[in-house]
Amino acid sequence: MSRPSIFNRYVSLDLETDSTDQRFGQPLQFAGIAYDPNFRELERLEIFSRQRLDVVGHPKANLVHGISPLWLAENGVGEMALFRAAKRFLMKAERTLLMTYNGEGFDIPMIRHGLFRNLTDPYEHEYKNGNRRFDLYPFMMMVRALRPELLNWPAPDPETGAVRLRLADIAAVNGIDAEKAHDAIADVAMVAEIGARVRAGNPRLWSYATEVLTDKNLAKSTLAERKPVMHFSSIYGAARNCASVVLPIMNDPRTDNRIICVDLTQDPSDMLTLDHEQIRHYLYTPKTELPEGSPRIPLVTIAANASPMFVPTDGMLTQEVIDRLGLDMDAINRHAEILGGAGNDFKRRASQAMTSSFPPARHAIGSLFDGFMSRGDSAALHQQVQKNADHNPQSLRLHTADVFSIADKCADKARVAELLIHAKYSLFFDTYHKPEVFAETLDRLLNADGEGGAGRFSPNELLAYTRYLDERVHGEQSGAAINAEGFAEALKEVRMEPLTDRELKLLDAVEEDMRRRLTAVDVLKELCEALTPEALEERQRRPEIDRVLASIAERRGESYDPESKAKRWARQGVDALELG
C-alpha cells in the first residue's frame, strides 16, 4: 500500500493558444481539472478569452485547436479575467501539484508572461502555500526507460526506429479517449488518467518524481554531489530515447537553480581546447549554420526549479536499462576520466561561455525575464487590479488609472508605464471584433469626464498605446511572433493544404477577424493624428508625462524630443496608413 501523498490536490492544466509565441501570444482557452490525491475529480474550470487587439495569431494554430475568433468574441471573457480566474483556481487549496504535459516548455512560461502583462504576480501560484509544478512529458521518458511495463507505448517510427511520446498517442495505445486531442479540457483529463495509472502501478516512482524532484532544494542537493546522473529530456532527441548520462560540474553563474552538466555520451576532448568565446559560438549557433566537422559542445543545463527528471546512476543504471537505452558505458567512463583531468580552468571557460547578456525586450509586456521589478514598482502595478468584483473591468482601479502620475513615482518608469498602458487599453479595446461596440467604447473614452489624471482619458496614453499597437501589428517581429504581412503569407500557405469544409469556414472567420483588427488599428491611428494638439497641450501642463516618455525612449535606445515627438510619430503613423 502506498504512503499518503504530501499534496492535498492535483490540478491538471492545459492551454490552447493563438500561436507558439510565449512572450506576446495569448491563451484562448484555459482548462484545469482538480483531483484529490487518489485522482478523484473535485472540480474543473474551463474558460475562453477574446483575442487582444495587439496580438497577431498564426492561422495554423486555429486549425490545431479549432477555435474561431468570432466565436470567442461572443463567448469569451477579457484576457485579464481569464488569468485571474485561472490563478484563483490554481491557488484554491494549499499543497497543490500543478501537472502539465510539456508545460515547462510552453504552458508554464505562457502563463507567467500572461500574468505579468496583466499586472499579477507571475510566479506565486507555482510555490506559495506548498504548491509545486510537475511536467508529465519528461516523466514519460523516465518511465519508458526505467519501468516500461507500466504503460503501453506508441510504435516506433518505421524509418528511424524512434518512439515519439505525444500525449494523444500514449493515451490512445492505453485505451484512453484521445479523439478530442488539442481540446484543452480533453488534454488535461488524459494527463491525469496517465498519471493515475503510473501511480497505481509504481507508487514509489510516482512519489520520487512528484515529491522529491519537484522540490528544488532536494534536486539541488543531489546534483551538488557532482556525481553522474541519468537525465531525461527532449533535448537529447527521440533517437536517443530522450535520455543521457550527464555529470554536473557547477552551478550556472546566473542562478544557482540551474546546474551546468556535461553530456558524458559525447567526447569532451575538443571542447576542452576551446576558449569561452569559441565554446559559446559552437554551443549557441544552429547546427545548420556550422561547417561540417565543427566541434560538438556537450554542455547541458538542469533547472532544479523546473521539476527535472533524473536519477542517480548508482543502483539505477542496470544492464537492462543500459541495453534498452543503447548506452556505451565504456565511452561514458572514458569521457568522465577526461573531464576529471580538466581542472578549474575549463569550468571558468564554460561558465563564461554560458553567461550571456541580452538586450531588454523592446516592449515592456514582454520584459518578464529582463529582471525582477522592485517591490514598490510591483505594488504600484498590482494595486491597479485589486477591485475586481465579479470580474467586472469597470470596477478595477486600472480603468481610471493616471498612468503617467503612477509611473513617474516608480523606479522603473518605462516598464511601469508601458505595462499599465497596455493593460488599461486592452480592457477598452478587446471589443474590436464588434465594430459598433468598438465605436461606442471610443466615444465613451473620448468624452469621459475630467482630464488627464483626474479622469479616464489621456491623449498621451492613447498615443503611446497606439504606437505600440502599430509596431506589434505592422512592425518587424522576431521569434515566433508574426505581423499582419506574415499572417497574410501564412494564411495563403495554409489555404493551399487539403482542408475540410469546417476548416475552410474556420479560416474565413480567422481572416475576417484580422480584417476587423486592421480596421480598428487604422481608426486609432487616424484618431491619434487628430489628438496630437491635445497631447502636446497636455504635456505642457503635466511635466511628468515628458519624464516618463523620455524614460520609455531611453529604454528602447531612442532619443526623445519633447517638442516634436507626438507630431513626428503621428505623421509616421499616417504615412504608414497611406502606404497600406
Side-chain angles (χ1 to χ4, degrees), residues 491-539:
L491 182 63
K492 183 178 179 180
E493 291 178 4
V494 170
R495 284 192 180 277
M496 295 176 67
E497 300 175 2
L499 299 170
T500 65
D501 289 343
R502 180 181 178 278
E503 289 171 330
L504 287 170
K505 290 180 180 178
L506 178 60
L507 291 180
D508 288 342
V510 171
E511 188 171 17
E512 172 62 20
D513 176 76
M514 177 55 69
R515 187 190 66 77
R516 297 181 187 182
R517 182 191 314 277
L518 295 177
T519 299
V521 173
D522 288 347
V523 167
L524 289 175
K525 288 165 67 175
E526 289 182 328
L527 176 61
C528 282
E529 184 197 11
L531 287 173
T532 295
E534 292 184 35
L536 292 170
E537 189 273 333
E538 183 189 32
R539 293 211 321 256

Side-chain angles (χ1 to χ4, degrees), residues 267-317:
D267 190 341
S269 299
D270 288 340
M271 176 178 63
L272 297 179
T273 67
L274 304 177
D275 63 31
H276 73 277
E277 292 287 356
Q278 292 171 314
I279 293 174
R280 179 182 296 157
H281 171 72
Y282 291 118
L283 181 63
Y284 293 116
T285 302
K287 291 182 180 179
T288 55
E289 299 178 15
L290 291 172
E292 188 175 348
S294 295
R296 302 186 68 176
I297 308 299
L299 291 177
V300 298
T301 59
I302 296 179
N305 62 341
S307 63
M309 292 295 110
F310 67 86
V311 294
T313 55
D314 296 342
M316 295 300 296
L317 200 54

Side-chain angles (χ1 to χ4, degrees), residues 68-380:
S68 166
L70 301 185
W71 182 88
L72 291 173
E74 297 292 338
N75 299 279
V77 300
E79 186 190 62
M80 182 177 287
L82 178 143
F83 276 109
R84 291 172 71 79
K87 186 171 182 177
R88 282 194 298 272
F89 184 76
L90 299 178
M91 299 186 70
K92 188 171 183 178
E94 295 182 351
R95 305 197 70 81
T96 293
L97 182 69
L98 310 179
M99 302 193 305
T100 58
Y101 200 88
N102 196 28
E104 292 298 325
F106 187 74
D107 303 80
I108 295 301
M110 179 72 84
I111 290 172
R112 290 172 178 170
H113 282 291
L115 290 170
F116 177 71
R117 67 174 169 264
N118 284 284
L119 315 184
T120 304
D121 188 299
Y123 296 108
E124 64 180 358
H125 62 287
E126 299 174 8
Y127 68 85
K128 197 170 183 179
N129 298 324
N131 282 14
R132 297 182 192 174
R133 63 185 196 270
F134 171 61
D135 192 337
L136 201 76
Y137 181 42
F139 181 56
M140 289 295 95
M141 303 168 194
M142 178 189 286
V143 172
R144 183 169 176 269
L146 303 181
R147 297 291 184 268
E149 69 279 2
L150 294 176
L151 292 169
N152 297 320
W153 302 100
D157 183 282
E159 295 183 4
T160 66
V163 174
R164 302 195 179 278
L165 303 178
R166 298 185 182 92
L167 174 62
D169 293 344
I170 295 176
V173 297
N174 284 279
I176 301 169
D177 184 9
E179 288 188 7
K180 294 184 178 180
H182 298 296
D183 176 332
I185 201 72
D187 286 353
V188 298
M190 284 188 273
V191 168
E193 178 61 27
I194 292 169
R197 293 191 185 190
V198 174
R199 179 180 180 272
N202 194 318
R204 185 177 178 185
L205 182 62
W206 175 259
S207 294
Y208 172 73
T210 60
E211 299 180 11
V212 176
L213 294 180
T214 60
D215 184 327
K216 69 176 183 180
N217 293 321
L218 292 177
K220 283 195 290 187
S221 66
T222 300
L223 297 171
E225 297 176 6
R226 303 300 189 243
K227 294 180 180 180
V229 297
M230 191 161 28
H231 183 217
F232 304 92
S233 170
S234 59
I235 62 174
Y236 304 116
R240 295 175 57 188
N241 296 293
C242 298
S244 190
V245 177
V246 303
L247 179 67
I249 58 173
M250 61 182 169
N251 288 354
D252 189 311
R254 297 164 293 186
T255 169
D256 65 357
N257 285 326
R258 296 175 68 87
I259 293 82
I260 297 175
C261 307
V262 177
D263 181 354
L264 293 179
T265 66
Q266 310 297 314
D267 190 341
S269 299
D270 288 340
M271 176 178 63
L272 297 179
T273 67
L274 304 177
D275 63 31
H276 73 277
E277 292 287 356
Q278 292 171 314
I279 293 174
R280 179 182 296 157
H281 171 72
Y282 291 118
L283 181 63
Y284 293 116
T285 302
K287 291 182 180 179
T288 55
E289 299 178 15
L290 291 172
E292 188 175 348
S294 295
R296 302 186 68 176
I297 308 299
L299 291 177
V300 298
T301 59
I302 296 179
N305 62 341
S307 63
M309 292 295 110
F310 67 86
V311 294
T313 55
D314 296 342
M316 295 300 296
L317 200 54
T318 63
Q319 190 60 48
E320 183 180 4
V321 173
I322 291 170
D323 293 341
R324 185 179 299 126
L325 298 180
L327 298 174
D328 184 343
M329 294 309 299
D330 290 337
I332 288 173
N333 293 330
R334 185 169 63 252
H335 299 157
E337 290 179 8
I338 294 172
L339 280 173
N344 290 327
D345 181 62
F346 163 67
K347 293 182 181 180
R348 177 185 58 79
R349 284 180 280 128
S351 173
Q352 291 175 320
M354 301 190 78
T355 304
S356 301
S357 59
F358 301 94
R362 177 168 176 77
H363 300 295
I365 73 162
S367 69
L368 174 61
F369 298 145
D370 285 0
F372 289 106
M373 303 183 77
S374 70
R375 289 186 178 182
D377 287 4
S378 294

Side-chain angles (χ1 to χ4, degrees), residues 390-458:
D390 301 323
H391 308 297
N392 179 7
Q394 301 289 340
S395 69
L396 300 182
R397 297 180 190 177
L398 177 64
H399 207 68
T400 56
D402 178 359
V403 170
F404 294 112
S405 290
I406 295 169
D408 190 47
K409 299 180 179 69
C410 292
D412 194 338
K413 293 178 173 59
R415 282 177 93 187
V416 170
E418 288 191 89
L419 285 164
L420 285 175
I421 286 171
H422 176 270
K424 177 177 179 178
Y425 287 87
S426 289
L427 287 178
F428 285 116
F429 296 142
D430 68 357
T431 57
Y432 77 89
H433 317 77
K434 301 179 179 181
E436 68 285 356
V437 179
F438 182 76
E440 292 173 3
T441 301
L442 269 181
D443 184 65
R444 288 198 311 271
L445 182 65
L446 296 175
N447 293 287
D449 294 333
E451 59 181 12
R456 295 184 176 186
F457 174 65
S458 157

